[in-house]
Each structure stands twice: as structure tokens, then as C-alpha cells.
Amino acid sequence: MIKKIYNKIANLRFQDRINLYQTLLANLLLLPIKEAIKFPILIYGKCRKKDMYGKVIFHSPVHTGMLKIGISDPVRSFDSKSFISICGILEIGDSVVLRKGISLLIKKNALLKLENDVYIGDNCTIIVADKIQIGRATRVGNNTTFMDTDFHSIINIKTREIKPNYASIYIGENNWIGGWCVVKKGTRTPMGTIIAGPYSMVSKNYIGKIPECSIIAGSPAKLLVDGMRRVNNIESDRIINNHYDSSREIFVLPDSVNLDTFCFPQRK
């Protein structure tokens, strides 16, 4: 009985709760009133805001909860605070999640585009000075950093040239970026790329240089193997887990099953 009571109390403590004040403020500051009253942005837990001069643009019919910020993991981020500063433009698809502890800075005239079903893990950092685009159904592990700027300039003392200290980032659809990785300016990845963590660093254009559905790792990241793709579908995960609950034989997907259908998240 004591265990049951304790577990119920503990579960209540760890439940995600919408921060009504921060949710209301974010929607009113970033959206036209006709969209704001539908509350497409939901903020959970503790969240600090700084400059909020920018705007949010949705690329799907507006409804409640299209962007969820601050959903927590009791292990990784229960005591974390999220931070948001949007002076540029945030473009959003549908079913986008920025988990608790996110540090999001979009500078003036900068653009962050998050397509459908993008999921950013706990305690990640996204700093946008130019443009960052993350393709649909991409998943990012905890404590990963995206920066399209080096903040400071470097001069070539021989030629006296100073190159721009920023360059856009493009992450292809259905990528999987592991925890504790760093994605730097100029990074471009093809569809299905897996950046294995922890501590991998990417900072160049991989499109055309590695095949789609490849695993890369290291600092700087290099190709490990190709022909691999993350299964990012709850129903497919259930099928795989059920198989291994009763068998130790390798699960083989039948040829009749479409890979995209099996791997991509299901749309509601």
C-alpha cells in the first residue's frame, strides 16, 4: 500500500504541466491574434524569455499544440529551465517538440525552419545567425548543439582575407543525431543520415559525398557505414519489440512492406 501511494505521488510530481502564463505570452507576442487564440505553441515547466521581437510562421493549418516546448525527462532534464529568444523568424511544420532545457536563440533577420515531426531532445542548444533548416521526422538526442556561426572572425595574416563567420545549416529528412554532438556552420546532410554520438562534430557539406542512409561519427565526422536507417515509427517499434520478446532470431522486414511507411512517424 505504501509503495502504491508513493508511486502515485511521485508520478504526479514528474508529470509535465503547461505553464499557462508563458504559453499565453509566447502566443500573443509571436503570432497574429487569430492564430494566437488557438494556442499552437504550448510551453511546459520553467522557461525564461529574453527578446521576443520575431515571429512564428506555421506551414500547416493552425491548431493547438503544434509546437511543444519544455516537455521533460525525469532522468535528463527534470530540474532544467528552457530559454527562448526569437528576434528573427521561426517556421514550423506540425508535431514539433523542443524538450526541456532547450536554449533557443534566433537573431534578427535569421531563420530557423523545423519541418513536420522534428524532435529536439533535452538540454539542446540552437543558435541561429543566418539559417538552420531541419528536415521532417528528424530526431536529435540530448545536449546537442547547433550553431550556424562561429561568433568571431578569423583573418588570414598572409592574404588579409576575412571570411564570413556564419553559413547556413541544412539537416535532411529522417536524420538521427545522437546526444552530445555539435553541428557547426556549413553542415549539410542527406536524407537518412545518422550522426552517432556522443561527441561527434559535423561542419561540412556531406550531400553527394556520402550516400543517403549512412552512419557518420567522429570529430570531424567521417563515414562509418552506409545502407542503415533509423526506424522512427511507434507502431514499427512495437512490432520489433514484440518479436524480440519471444525470439532471439534477427527480425527481417518483409519485402512487401514499404520502407518509408515502416520508418517514418505516422501522421495523425
Side-chain angles (χ1 to χ4, degrees):
M1 177 63 73
I2 294 175
K3 288 183 179 179
K4 288 183 179 179
I5 294 173
Y6 170 80
N7 287 329
K8 286 184 178 179
I9 294 172
N11 288 333
L12 286 172
R13 181 170 180 246
F14 287 111
Q15 281 182 352
D16 289 311
R17 293 179 174 84
I18 294 176
N19 186 323
L20 294 176
Y21 171 72
Q22 296 287 7
T23 293
L24 179 63
L25 196 61
N27 283 278
L28 291 176
L29 288 174
L30 297 170
L31 297 168
I33 189 64
K34 289 183 179 180
E35 294 182 353
I37 59 176
K38 296 180 181 180
F39 294 101
I41 303 171
L42 297 179
I43 295 180
Y44 297 78
K46 297 178 180 179
C47 180
R48 295 172 294 169
K49 295 187 182 69
K50 191 174 180 286
D51 300 316
M52 300 290 281
Y53 301 115
K55 62 181 179 179
V56 174
I57 299 172
F58 290 98
H59 291 288
S60 299
V62 174
H63 62 85
T64 302
M66 298 178 72
L67 170 62
K68 295 180 179 179
I69 300 172
I71 295 175
S72 67
D73 179 334
V75 176
R76 296 186 179 97
S77 63
F78 179 70
D79 290 322
S80 299
K81 290 183 180 180
S82 302
F83 171 82
I84 304 171
S85 179
I86 301 175
C87 295
I89 298 175
L90 173 59
E91 294 189 9
I92 295 289
D94 199 356
S95 300
V96 173
V97 174
L98 307 178
R99 288 184 66 91
K100 196 171 185 181
I102 184 73
S103 292
L104 174 61
L105 170 61
I106 305 175
K107 295 189 174 184
K108 186 177 179 181
N109 299 322
L111 169 65
L112 172 61
K113 184 175 182 179
L114 305 176
E115 298 180 4
N116 290 346
D117 300 300
V118 167
Y119 187 100
I120 307 295
D122 306 76
N123 300 313
C124 287
T125 298
I126 303 176
I127 300 174
V128 194
D130 181 35
K131 179 182 178 180
I132 297 178
Q133 179 174 345
I134 301 179
R136 72 184 180 107
T138 287
R139 293 292 191 269
V140 179
N142 60 288
N143 296 86
T144 284
T145 297
F146 294 80
M147 299 187 302
D148 68 355
T149 176
D150 292 329
F151 299 100
H152 306 289
S153 297
I154 297 175
I155 186 169
N156 184 319
I157 59 174
K158 295 180 179 179
T159 65
R160 306 179 80 84
E161 291 179 333
I162 303 174
K163 295 182 178 180
N165 62 8
Y166 60 86
S168 64
I169 292 171
Y170 172 81
I171 303 299
E173 66 180 27
N174 198 212
N175 276 211
W176 181 19
I177 302 175
W180 300 91
C181 292
V182 177
V183 181
K184 299 187 71 176
K185 67 180 178 70
T187 298
R188 296 178 64 83
T189 61
M191 190 277 287
T193 301
I194 297 173
I195 302 174
Y199 309 125
S200 289
M201 185 274 290
V202 287
S203 60
K204 67 179 184 180
N205 183 2
Y206 290 90
I207 296 175
K209 298 175 183 177
I210 63 171
E212 294 182 347
C213 302
S214 294
I215 299 178
I216 60 177
S219 181
K222 298 179 180 179
L223 177 66
L224 298 183
V225 63
D226 59 21
M228 308 295 286
R229 181 173 177 180
R230 176 172 177 172
V231 177
N232 189 13
N233 181 299
I234 293 174
E235 179 61 23
S236 298
D237 278 334
R238 185 188 64 80
I239 293 170
I240 296 167
N241 291 334
N242 286 344
H243 169 83
Y244 285 115
D245 284 343
S246 58
S247 174
R248 287 294 177 261
E249 294 185 6
I250 298 297
F251 177 85
V252 179
L253 184 69
D255 291 336
S256 58
V257 179
N258 181 275
L259 269 176
D260 283 344
T261 302
F262 190 79
C263 293
F264 273 108
Q266 293 176 320
R267 300 297 298 150
K268 295 181 180 179

